[in-house]
Amino acid sequence: MSTRLVSILGLGPSPEVPHYAPIAYRKDDATAPVTPLVQRALLDLDSGITAVVLLGTEAVKRRWIDTGLARDLLGRDFGFTLLPDGATSEDRWQIFHKVARVLRSDAIDDLEDDDPDAIVFDVTHGFRLQPMLGLAALAFVRSDEARDGFRPTPVRVTY
């Protein structure tokens, strides 16, 4: 079974690396090794995750992606989708559409060979309106797929 992890990455509250406090995240009866990134914990707790897509703003890209810190902490390759800051109505619609695109059940070029069997959508570190717009995009995608006669891909939301 293949699972796509789609996760909104924030800057983190601390200017000092690793930016988020290291925590031992739990899922059901399992505990992941201590990590500052919930995405790393999700990878440790769900062996079926075969593709990872991180979403974040330009500031997130500079802090986590350009420095290689996200790659070092995750220990694997991933896709990254740049989100606008959300200051304008146009920005907010872009966030909605970009999140909807990565939540669709179609395989993502360069990350997946086949459509995923499941999706984990993580909004733990989303900033302000990103989680709300993301969840609205998720509801839209699931409704759209069902309306088109497709059985929507199972999605688990984590926070």
Side-chain angles (χ1 to χ4, degrees):
M1 182 164 134
S2 64
T3 300
R4 176 189 305 154
L5 170 60
V6 176
S7 183
I8 301 172
L9 181 60
L11 284 173
S14 172
E16 302 299 320
V17 172
H19 308 299
Y20 287 108
I23 296 172
Y25 291 92
R26 294 183 51 82
K27 175 188 168 199
D28 302 325
D29 293 331
T31 302
V34 173
T35 179
L37 285 183
V38 66
Q39 297 86 354
R40 174 72 246 182
L42 290 167
L43 287 167
D44 289 334
L45 294 168
D46 188 341
S47 63
I49 294 175
T50 53
V52 177
V53 179
L54 301 178
L55 301 103
T57 62
E58 183 61 43
V60 166
K61 182 178 179 288
R62 284 192 305 271
R63 176 173 280 184
W64 290 98
I65 310 304
D66 295 346
T67 63
L69 184 57
R71 172 71 173 87
D72 292 346
L73 290 172
L74 290 178
R76 65 175 296 159
D77 291 332
F78 55 87
F80 180 76
T81 296
L82 186 63
L83 299 177
D85 290 332
T88 67
S89 178
E90 182 179 317
D91 281 357
R92 292 185 288 275
W93 276 112
Q94 282 186 33
I95 292 170
F96 178 90
H97 288 292
K98 287 182 176 202
V99 172
R101 184 176 47 83
V102 298
L103 287 173
R104 293 217 175 267
S105 60
D106 301 334
I108 296 176
D109 294 340
D110 300 329
L111 287 180
E112 299 166 308
D113 294 328
D114 296 312
D115 296 350
D117 298 311
I119 295 174
V120 173
F121 183 37
D122 168 56
V123 298
T124 304
H125 294 310
F127 183 64
R128 292 190 182 153
L129 55 81
Q130 292 170 339
M132 288 189 302
L133 289 173
L135 293 171
L138 172 61
F140 172 79
V141 166
R142 292 182 63 82
S143 173
D144 195 42
E145 288 178 338
R147 185 189 64 218
D148 289 343
F150 297 107
R151 183 172 177 263
T153 303
V155 176
R156 185 176 81 237
V157 176
T158 62
Y159 174 76

